[in-house]
Amino acid sequence: MTDVALLVQVLRDPSTACGLDGKAWDTLLRQSRSAGVSGKLGLLLEAAMPRANIPEAVRRATDSALTIAAKIERDVRLELYVLAELFADMPEPVILLKGTAYVAAGLEAARGRVFGDIDILVPQASLAPAESRLKRAGWSFGPIDAYDERYYRCWTHELPPMEHQLRGTLIDVHHAILQERRAAPDARVRMITDAQALDDRFRVLQPVDMVLHAAAHLFSDGEFDKGLRDLLDIVWLIRDFAVRDTGFWDALLERATVMRLRRPLYHALDHASRLLGLEVPVSVFRGLDGEKRFDPIMRPAMHRGLMPHHPSAADGLTQLAHHFLYLRAHYLRMPLANLALHLARKALRRDPVRENHPAPGAPPAPQRG
């Protein structure tokens, strides 16, 4: 298995940064930018050492990330105010997900977190009315061809990303917890109906479901470029919830069984404990013992996926691991025949020149929720 990246070592134990030389600090900073965790790195470093001991360039970079994170938090709160008015008389609940939920619920996981879109979930029955209201209020799909829009609607759990024409706000409207080839509809509906009211309009998933949702998305996704950030979310969520509720761990294990999400929970706890030092009760790992059978393949692949996507954190098998995770994610959501046709179409449409050299003035890809 590949080595653990410097960034992961420092996130696990920030005091180890005290002995870094200039080159190592530079590597640390580049890896944190690549992983989208510069804000959280700044919080951890300042808690572990005097601010004066942190090189000025690192302080500037982490301060900048924290300023951006604070702006995102303000923008999210303002946008939720607008959305609350927009959905005020819609009978079905609107559930906040991912970074949006962490901000709205005031969770530790929101501190220093940089993300680019608002994630909401509405029941399938409310999807068309919600989409219609958003379009009337100024959101649109932007440039997307008919095939890609159909792909989103048929083979993912969300609509294509929508952007507000004036404010530039991005919103992802989910209509299911996950897109799965072998769905567990009763369990998923239960996760939605058991969501907790945040205020008169919005709900958030209950704590155990919030962790399971984060784990399921991270380890069912094919794009791991922000995987380390999302794993850090899981660590901070669990530490937050376990302090508040002494029965959290037992409830998490029981809920994972009911929701048929034991495998992503195992992957999340395995990597969070190995990489980031999350303390997991032995009884919980013992309860998930049956999920270890794919470790010889999955653990090294996911390990490489979770490392910062930066040359300093890669080895000779990193690209292969990324391709494997990408194909696995599609396999989990599509029948094989549809998957083969989809990948063939993507390969024929691929334009490597455009991918490697975006059009002048093109905005950077947003960091998903």
Side-chain angles (χ1 to χ4, degrees):
M1 190 180 296
T2 186
D3 292 336
V4 173
L6 174 61
L7 172 63
V8 177
Q9 297 174 33
V10 173
L11 291 176
R12 180 188 177 102
D13 181 2
S15 67
T16 59
C18 294
L20 298 181
D21 59 19
K23 184 178 179 181
W25 276 109
D26 181 68
T27 299
L28 178 66
L29 194 52
R30 292 175 187 275
Q31 291 184 356
S32 73
R33 285 171 172 158
S34 175
V37 298
S38 296
K40 289 188 182 294
L41 176 65
L43 292 173
L44 292 170
L45 288 176
E46 294 205 17
M49 65 180 72
R51 183 174 167 84
N53 289 4
I54 304 172
E56 184 180 349
V58 177
R59 287 203 308 267
R60 282 202 305 268
T62 55
D63 286 351
S64 175
L66 289 170
T67 300
I68 293 171
K71 180 183 184 305
I72 289 172
E73 182 171 340
R74 288 195 301 273
D75 290 349
V76 166
R77 293 188 184 283
L78 286 172
E79 209 62 52
L80 289 180
Y81 180 81
V82 174
L83 293 174
E85 293 286 315
L86 189 63
F87 295 135
D89 58 346
M90 200 165 75
E92 300 287 349
V94 178
I95 300 172
L96 308 180
L97 298 173
K98 302 183 180 180
T100 310
Y102 308 157
V103 167
L107 298 174
E108 281 290 300
R111 293 181 64 214
R113 192 179 193 275
V114 175
F115 59 102
D117 52 7
I118 290 173
D119 289 274
I120 65 170
L121 182 149
V122 298
Q124 183 75 39
S126 297
L127 183 61
E131 179 182 345
S132 177
R133 288 176 188 227
L134 287 167
K135 286 181 174 176
R136 287 201 301 272
W139 274 275
S140 65
F141 291 137
I144 184 171
D145 65 27
Y147 176 84
D148 284 344
E149 183 172 343
R150 190 166 62 252
Y151 172 81
Y152 265 99
R153 292 181 185 275
C154 294
W155 300 114
T156 76
H157 54 283
E158 59 189 335
L159 295 174
M162 303 181 80
E163 181 176 5
H164 196 275
Q165 295 167 5
L166 296 179
R167 298 192 295 276
T169 314
L170 294 172
I171 186 167
D172 283 343
V173 182
H174 302 236
H175 53 79
I177 297 296
L178 277 175
Q179 177 67 29
E180 301 162 289
R181 204 155 50 93
R182 298 173 183 171
D186 294 343
R188 303 296 176 263
V189 169
R190 188 170 167 185
M191 192 179 277
I192 294 173
T193 55
D194 288 349
Q196 299 176 339
L198 197 61
D199 53 33
D200 292 340
R201 181 60 272 175
F202 298 119
R203 299 183 187 183
V204 293
L205 299 176
Q206 62 170 309
V208 288
D209 286 346
M210 201 177 286
V211 172
L212 291 174
H213 180 260
H217 269 265
L218 172 55
F219 292 101
S220 299
D221 203 347
E223 297 176 359
F224 272 65
D225 56 321
K226 295 298 177 287
L228 183 60
R229 180 201 65 176
D230 295 347
L231 187 66
L232 205 53
D233 284 345
I234 292 171
V235 171
W236 286 36
L237 287 174
I238 288 177
R239 285 174 176 162
D240 210 351
F241 295 146
V243 167
R244 301 182 192 185
D245 178 7
T246 55
F248 172 79
W249 283 108
D250 290 338
L252 180 63
L253 190 56
E254 181 182 345
R255 190 71 168 180
T257 301
V258 171
M259 293 293 161
R260 302 186 200 175
L261 294 173
R262 290 168 54 87
R263 190 168 302 161
L265 177 63
Y266 167 72
H267 290 314
L269 299 182
D270 177 43
H271 291 285
S273 61
R274 283 191 315 104
L275 299 177
L276 299 173
L278 176 68
E279 294 182 5
V280 181
V282 174
S283 60
V284 174
F285 272 134
R286 194 178 297 131
L288 294 169
D289 204 45
E291 308 304 326
K292 293 180 178 178
R293 59 188 180 279
F294 297 109
D295 270 1
I297 296 174
M298 296 307 302
R299 185 184 265 184
M302 289 179 172
H303 179 98
R304 289 180 171 86
L306 290 167
M307 292 300 108
H309 289 202
H310 186 269
S312 62
D315 66 10
L317 295 176
T318 296
Q319 280 295 101
L320 180 62
H322 290 175
H323 289 312
F324 168 74
L325 294 172
Y326 177 81
L327 291 174
R328 172 183 174 271
H330 283 75
Y331 171 76
L332 292 176
R333 69 172 66 129
M334 302 175 79
L336 280 175
N338 298 79
L339 173 59
L341 289 172
H342 174 69
L343 294 177
R345 182 183 176 89
K346 297 290 282 186
L348 290 172
R349 293 173 59 197
R350 191 174 181 184
D351 182 351
V353 175
R354 186 178 178 82
E355 286 180 3
N356 292 328
H357 303 282
Q367 298 184 29
R368 304 296 298 273

